[in-house]
Amino acid sequence: MIIPRRRINRLRVTRLHEGSRSTRQDVVAVEEPLEIRVRFADGDAWRTRSVSVTMRTPGDDFELAAGFLFAEGLLSDRRDIQDISYCSGDEQQEYNLLEVRLTPSASFDAGLLNRNFYMTSSCGVCGKASLDAIEVQGCSPIADGTLTVPSEVLTGLPDALRAAQPVFEKTGGIHASALFDVEGRLLGLREDVGRHNALDKLIGREFLAGRLPLADRIVLVSGRTSFELLQKATMAGVPVVAAVGAPSSLAVDLARRFNVTLVGFTRATGFNVYAGRARVRT
């Protein structure tokens, strides 16, 4: 019998504190690989391509796959997905292999797989090329007048996020992305050891439910804001992105170019606005 993967593991550790040593039980977040495959029609034949292998915390894997494919510009319509399932045949990897089967009429450009992986900070692609590539994917600047957010709503988001993080509460070692309305009500939250995976899961949830673009929503991320996270949020049409941590320079450039309100160092006492100041009401 195949047992679904757990999100946390319990283990014994040695604790050193103020010169004394003890053995205690600790809890850590699970990290396992997930390979995402796409099966699509190519003329009269069906083909399967591996599109990504990511290290993730098990759970919400179907949302992760859908969100990744959408954010990479590989899918734009949830109706193009016929089915998402785990690949059978290998009991050890049953829940680490996932296939997204598209409808026969779905348009899928496998060549995009060779052009899309400019997002990681180590790939050596210059910032301007990265920003240009987002426009090639069909992403447009966020329209003005979508919403304004009271500053007190933004300062209240981190506490709301922390209160709703079940795995972080147990492990202290996991990222989260959360979706809020303009009044600060929590609408959805996803956790993962990878900050990009957490946001893919959240966007995938909305994509599969047919709720994109997120033109009247706020996204809060638990750590820093990288170019990759801003790219995903911009693809989803999010007008306001807030973070507990700092943004990168390229994330700020992207936010300003695509008219996204970017807030960093969000605390109960205040925050920094790096782009899109007009959407924040004081």
Side-chain angles (χ1 to χ4, degrees), residues 71-196:
E72 294 297 314
L74 298 170
L75 285 182
S76 59
D77 192 331
R78 66 188 176 100
R79 291 170 296 185
D80 287 338
I81 298 177
Q82 187 176 80
D83 183 55
I84 304 177
S85 62
Y86 290 107
C87 301
S88 59
D90 185 340
E91 291 191 1
Q92 293 300 316
Q93 298 299 325
E94 173 81 12
Y95 290 93
N96 290 337
L97 299 173
L98 184 151
E99 182 177 275
V100 180
R101 184 182 178 93
L102 304 185
T103 61
S105 60
S107 176
F108 182 75
D109 183 2
L112 284 174
L113 298 174
N114 301 322
R115 302 194 295 270
N116 269 15
F117 295 99
Y118 57 84
M119 254 70 79
T120 60
S121 59
S122 61
C123 69
V125 179
C126 73
K128 184 179 185 301
S130 299
L131 294 172
D132 290 343
I134 296 177
E135 290 183 336
V136 171
Q137 288 179 308
C139 189
S140 302
I142 305 297
D144 288 324
T146 48
L147 83 169
T148 58
V149 183
S151 59
E152 59 268 24
V153 167
L154 292 171
T155 56
L157 298 185
D159 285 344
L161 173 70
R162 181 69 178 269
Q165 280 191 263
V167 180
F168 181 86
E169 187 65 27
K170 295 176 181 178
T171 67
I174 201 162
H175 292 284
S177 291
L179 190 68
F180 294 88
D181 66 14
V182 72
E183 295 180 354
R185 288 187 291 258
L186 179 65
L187 304 176
L189 181 144
R190 292 294 182 264
E191 293 180 294
D192 200 279
V193 289
R195 57 173 60 88
H196 56 289

Side-chain angles (χ1 to χ4, degrees), residues 11-50:
L11 67 163
R12 304 295 295 180
V13 300
T14 299
R15 168 75 170 170
L16 299 177
H17 180 67
E18 295 182 348
S20 63
R21 182 174 63 183
S22 61
T23 301
R24 57 180 287 186
Q25 180 173 271
D26 201 1
V27 180
V28 297
V30 172
E31 182 178 30
E32 290 186 353
L34 177 69
E35 180 179 351
I36 301 172
R37 301 173 180 174
V38 175
R39 185 164 178 79
F40 61 98
D42 184 10
D44 295 330
W46 283 92
R47 304 190 186 280
T48 302
R49 286 285 303 271
S50 176

Side-chain angles (χ1 to χ4, degrees), residues 199-273:
L199 187 53
D200 276 338
K201 289 177 178 180
L202 187 67
I203 292 174
R205 171 183 183 263
E206 302 304 302
F207 175 69
L208 292 174
R211 291 192 287 261
L212 297 184
L214 300 171
D216 57 350
R217 298 292 183 246
I218 305 164
V219 163
L220 176 71
V221 297
S222 60
R224 64 182 179 85
T225 314
S226 64
F227 167 81
E228 183 179 18
L229 293 185
L230 254 294
Q231 177 262 338
K232 293 176 183 295
T234 303
M235 290 289 289
V238 179
V240 178
V241 177
V244 175
S248 68
S249 62
L250 195 54
V252 174
D253 290 344
L254 191 157
R256 292 177 176 178
R257 180 162 172 175
F258 287 88
N259 196 29
V260 177
T261 297
L262 176 59
V263 176
F265 295 108
T266 310
R267 304 284 190 276
T269 54
F271 49 82
N272 295 343
V273 182

